[in-house]
Amino acid sequence: MTYQLLQQYWWFVVSLMAAFLVFFLFVQGGNSLIFCLGKTKEERRLVVNSTGHKWEFTFTTLATFGASFFASFPLFYSTSFGGAYWIWMLILFTFVVQAVSYEFQNKLGNFLGPKVFQAGLLINGIVGPLLLGGAVATFFDGSNFYIEKANMTTSLQPVISHWANGSYGLDALLDVWNLIFGLAVFFLTRVTGLLYMRNNIADDTLRERCRKRLLPNAVLFLVFFLTFLVRTLLKDGFAVNPTTGVIFMEPMKYFNNLITMWPLLLIFLAGVVLVLFGIGRTIFDKAYVKGIWPAGVGVIMVVLVLFLIAGWNNTAFYPSNVDLQSSLTISNACSSEVTLRVMAWVTLLIPVILAYGAYCWWSIDKKKITRAEIEKGDAY
């Protein structure tokens, strides 16, 4: 594999990790619905235990996603995770709150009561997806940072990237388009959370409640997602001259990426169909409880394509709004060829990891969550 091909390959690996992360955010979507679905203490525990059996998947994938970015594109990691650290710290804080809330809400000596920790899960379910969506939207809308690689040779100030203002990433929330995409991700997690709990909880009352909540959340998701998608495909994008490395604005860049890389367009459309099928059949078929599978696969396909068109085909995946030439591409932000090549061997274990994850999922889910399990006390 050439150095250029290794760069393309590692962007695919990072994109795949991001796609699985968005799918696993159904845990956060379920958490955001604790008090909407659970009308009694027992019903709330059913919801918490449904998502509680999977929260480690989301947390592990989030950590792996960050580690993959750090290893393969360290300049992005130092620029975004270092410069925009407030938004990332808030995201990580909500996930820490989630972990604590699961473990302590029904522990002996919990003088605060379970509702306090369930409120912590609710905060994670709302804030986590909203901020993650806003952060990812900056891949298309840009951020406010400078890159000065010449500082590497300066002993007094070796920092090569810095934020252009004192907000340290919170300015991303001032961009309405970032908020729109954040809301799209939030409502998507609620949709997948409802689909998952309808499959995972063996309780007719909660399953019907999930089905009724699905339509309004799906409509809101589609409104926000399609608004962001149409605007993104039609707006000017951040292109890279492959010969000179100069960044310039190209009309309808992301639409052109889909057309140029037409197999990605087919994957994207197939993913959309699967998501709509999973949602639609669940809404109209009262006996259908497996909507999470077609919709989940569709989510992975759609998110994978969105990340790929943000970086492939000579595109700046992390644009700078204050200095266009500071924008990061998969060629100017990546690790050395030796590093990428060595790590590529490690990725051969990905099929093994996916197979192990699928087995763990099957082992956990082969027995559905029931009221009897809650009554026995073998639960969160």
Side-chain angles (χ1 to χ4, degrees), residues 266-287:
L266 297 181
I267 295 173
F268 182 85
L269 294 176
V272 170
V273 170
L274 286 172
V275 171
L276 294 177
F277 172 80
I279 295 172
R281 184 169 177 185
T282 301
I283 291 174
F284 294 107
D285 187 348
K286 293 184 177 182

Side-chain angles (χ1 to χ4, degrees), residues 221-240:
F221 157 64
L222 290 173
V223 168
F224 285 114
F225 177 71
L226 291 175
T227 300
F228 181 84
L229 178 66
V230 172
R231 180 258 180 178
T232 299
L233 293 180
L234 297 181
K235 81 181 189 75
D236 294 350
F238 301 84
V240 186

